[in-house]
Amino acid sequence: MKDLMTLLQERAGVQAAVAALAAKETGGAALSAEEVVEFTKLSAQFDDLSAQIDRIQAAERMAATVAKPVTGALPAQPKQAARQPGESLGIIVRSLVSSGGDPRAAAHYAETQCHAPDIAAALNTGTGSAGGFIVPPGYVPEVVELLRPASVVRKLGARPIPMPAGTLTMSRHTAGSTASYVTEGTDIAVSQPAFGPLTLSKKKLVAMVPVSNDLIRFSSPDANGLVRDDIVQGIGTREDQAFIRDDGTSNTPTGLRYQAAGGALIPANATVNVQNVKNDLGKAELSLLNGNVKMIKPGWIMSPRTLVFLQNLVDGNGNHVFPEIAAGQLRNKPYAVTTSIPDNLGAGGDESEIYLVDFNDAIIGEATGLIIDISKEGAYMSGGNLVSAFSRDETLVRAITEHDFGLRHIPSVAVLTAVKWKP
């Protein structure tokens, strides 16, 4: 039986799909026969989920109403300190590792060693799978929120949307309506905005994170945070690589680089000077503006090498060309830096890229769920060498999540290529 959080997430996903169909019709485009059937089906599914949610909430209210106070003295319980965001994930992982992956033993550890009775209850009633332990839905949003600072795409404003069924279809605006002047008595030409489908389907991301067993043995909130950060950083780094430069093959998302239109791939001027740098950045801005992009959440993504070059760039009088960089802005737009944009592209192996994106049009479809599995005997690759977790007194934590990425408006990304700017 699905719990309340799962049902709420499913209903949110259905509502998003209904809203996409409604937006298409509101924009003036008629729904196809298949879309009308789909709208009716989604409406019925929304009503069914709402009824299930209402019944569960009613049952919870009734249980609270008839609950009787416990008489007599109760043994003193240690006061549970307020947790940091995502610390619950660290407790879940530490508990599973300490128990060898047994959820019942993990529940005992969470209650007695971590003083987390809520997590103990979740572990006792949680769901196992052939691939590991499924983190209860109530704790998954904490992890997703922590990915925001770990992922530049999320940090700059890409919008996460629940995808509980594993797929999500939205309308993508491909062309606007047009107007024209006419003479008296002439028929008015009819034009409508053009829409196309944006279909997202879940892609499995697996992070393999070695965790020191010393951290597992510590029973402090700091240890919980370190375990949490190792896992989130592993997921966030690979997620950024996918959302920026993966090409959609081998069951990966299609990143910004391969969603950009051909005309939005703009080679930087081979002659590097102040005016050419300004001109190249302006070309990226002009690409979005010419595509009628609203520029609601515009932002730049670049490599660390590019950032240092722009920080050091001065004019003939020794003045910084982009002083606003110190405030986190470039040409009045926020920027983010990531090593997921390489500096070894091109025939000479010395080129990089700069991305300008209106992240209001960037969508991350998130299938609910996070699966955790552990191994104390496994091995992993580090620097090209095979490392034994057992010999290093480490535990391998495998975290599995599923998502996809897409743009609702293709002109919302421009890529400055062949960037050879070096400090």
Side-chain angles (χ1 to χ4, degrees), residues 61-128:
R61 288 195 299 271
M62 293 176 190
T65 301
V66 302
K68 296 181 179 180
V70 178
T71 59
L74 293 174
Q77 299 291 328
K79 185 178 180 180
Q80 182 175 316
R83 294 185 195 137
Q84 296 297 316
E87 185 183 342
S88 299
L89 175 63
I91 296 175
I92 290 172
V93 172
R94 285 181 55 214
S95 300
L96 288 169
V97 170
S98 67
S99 64
D102 180 356
R104 301 295 176 264
H108 178 74
Y109 182 93
E111 185 160 16
T112 59
Q113 301 299 317
C114 302
H115 308 297
D118 59 318
I119 293 179
L123 287 164
N124 262 320
T125 59
T127 305

Side-chain angles (χ1 to χ4, degrees), residues 187-234:
D187 291 336
I188 300 172
V190 177
S191 68
Q192 293 181 341
F195 292 86
L198 168 60
T199 301
L200 304 180
S201 61
K202 63 182 182 181
K203 311 292 192 300
K204 183 191 294 185
L205 173 61
V206 182
M208 189 78 75
V209 183
V211 178
S212 167
N213 286 332
D214 286 338
L215 285 178
I216 303 302
R217 299 181 188 110
F218 297 151
S219 57
S220 71
D222 290 337
N224 298 333
L226 288 170
V227 172
R228 169 204 66 198
D229 292 345
D230 281 348
I231 295 173
V232 170
Q233 191 61 45

